[in-house]
Amino acid sequence: MGVLNVTPDSFFDGGRYFDLEPALARGLEMVAEGADVIDVGGESSRPGAQPVPEAEELRRVVPVIEALTRHVRVSVDTTKRAVAEAALSVGATLVNDISASLWPVAASGAVGWVAVHMSGTPRTMQDDPRYDDVVGEVHGFLVERARQALDAGVREVWVDPGIGFGKTARHNLTLLHHLPALVASGFPVLVGTSRKGFLGVLAAGPGEEPVPAAQRLPGSIATATWAMLAGAAMVRVHDVTAVSRSATLVGSTRSASDLTPAAARTSPVGAGRPGLGAR
Ligand code: HH2
């Protein structure tokens, strides 16, 4: 899932794709890079973000979604019912919902729905996040919401632990570590770590300031790859080329691991791929 923020203030790509033309160009570029879904958002949910009025969010996202749905599956990243409905009316087929409350819209539109866990609201969520049992609370919440959505008739229900949404770096790492337990719930899992603040905290040396978003690509690749190995069915990323290359490489390594040297020469993993037989 490629991230496309049609906003002036998103923490990483804010302002880059605020106008229709650059937004469309970036969406199509991510499709060429290997994205299966483009996630279009018109309201930043970064820590401290201020809400965007409904009319303004509609103005930002609807033309972009309408144009992209001719080329690729589009999800709408919103917490507003009217924005989700407008997005579906122009062809979006997935509602990506950090409020985890819009399943009735997905049910009536016969589209997919992503339940994301968030503690609090973006404005205050990083003030002092606390859990007694972060894994139990996040997984329990998601499975409950996902079942509600299924009962309401949504046929495609995703769950997402909401990395960075009211969580410390330790909470995020714990959730990533225990991702297989969420995968075991049977709902397809989506994970978004891309360029997030905890990667900056983890990449900094002792006593150093967190590394800025522009320098968090290694952490994005590593954690997206970790999530896929742990069973996530989709990762939400800004850097589609880098992450899909990592996924291909790790996937090839995995499927090559049980090949004997003789089988490797004739296997699709080794055969016909320039350079793979070289060393
Ligand atoms: N993260 C962000 C926004 N939407 N949706 C899902 N399902 N999972 C996530 O982890 C997730 C999400 C925040 O990232 P971004 O859109 O890049 O930034 P901003 O909120 O500043 O626009």
Side-chain angles (χ1 to χ4, degrees):
M1 172 184 272
V3 179
L4 185 59
N5 286 314
V6 190
T7 59
D9 58 343
S10 287
F11 79 92
F12 179 59
D13 59 355
R16 288 193 218 175
Y17 312 116
F18 196 41
D19 294 324
L20 181 60
E21 226 170 274
L24 285 184
R26 179 60 188 146
L28 294 177
E29 186 177 49
M30 288 192 285
V31 174
E33 290 173 355
D36 297 312
V37 179
I38 302 296
D39 187 39
V40 179
E43 178 178 59
S44 172
S45 54
R46 74 184 193 289
Q50 297 296 326
V52 173
E54 185 177 291
E56 171 61 10
E57 195 177 330
L58 285 165
R59 189 195 67 73
R60 292 177 184 180
V61 299
V62 170
V64 178
I65 293 173
E66 188 167 24
L68 282 177
T69 51
R70 290 182 216 128
H71 305 275
V72 66
R73 184 174 197 196
V74 175
S75 65
V76 60
D77 185 355
T78 190
T79 59
K80 296 188 183 73
R81 189 184 178 109
V83 174
E85 285 170 345
L88 302 192
S89 76
V90 295
T93 59
L94 190 59
V95 178
N96 179 25
D97 177 12
I98 62 163
S99 73
S101 65
L102 294 176
W103 73 88
V105 179
S108 58
V111 298
W113 178 65
V114 183
V116 184
H117 178 275
M118 173 168 63
S119 175
T121 64
R123 208 168 54 76
T124 56
M125 66 191 177
Q126 289 305 110
D127 287 353
D128 183 22
R130 281 167 196 251
Y131 301 84
D132 290 329
D133 166 14
V134 68
V135 173
E137 288 171 44
V138 170
H139 291 190
F141 170 86
L142 290 173
V143 168
E144 190 190 311
R145 290 292 166 105
R147 290 201 180 122
Q148 263 177 300
L150 276 187
D151 289 347
V154 183
R155 301 261 284 278
E156 180 190 356
V157 180
W158 294 75
V159 291
D160 181 330
I163 298 298
F165 285 104
K167 283 134 193 143
T168 62
R170 183 172 289 277
H171 292 143
N172 292 325
L173 286 178
T174 305
L175 287 165
L176 288 172
H177 180 80
H178 289 281
L179 214 51
L182 187 58
V183 171
S185 72
F187 293 102
V189 172
L190 170 63
V191 177
T193 58
S194 192
R195 304 268 179 178
K196 285 189 177 170
F198 80 111
L199 299 175
V201 172
L202 295 170
E208 286 175 8
E209 286 296 303
V211 166
Q215 291 165 31
R216 295 177 195 155
L217 179 59
S220 297
I221 300 171
T223 49
T225 306
W226 168 274
M228 288 184 274
L229 283 170
M234 185 151 66
V235 287
R236 181 181 181 278
V237 301
H238 300 90
D239 305 282
V240 176
T241 299
V243 173
S244 71
R245 280 192 188 153
S246 173
T248 305
L249 192 83
V250 172
S252 300
T253 309
R254 257 190 147 185
S255 53
S257 66
D258 55 1
L259 296 177
T260 61
R265 280 195 289 278
T266 54
S267 140
V269 176
R273 296 275 304 276
L276 284 189
R279 290 195 219 173

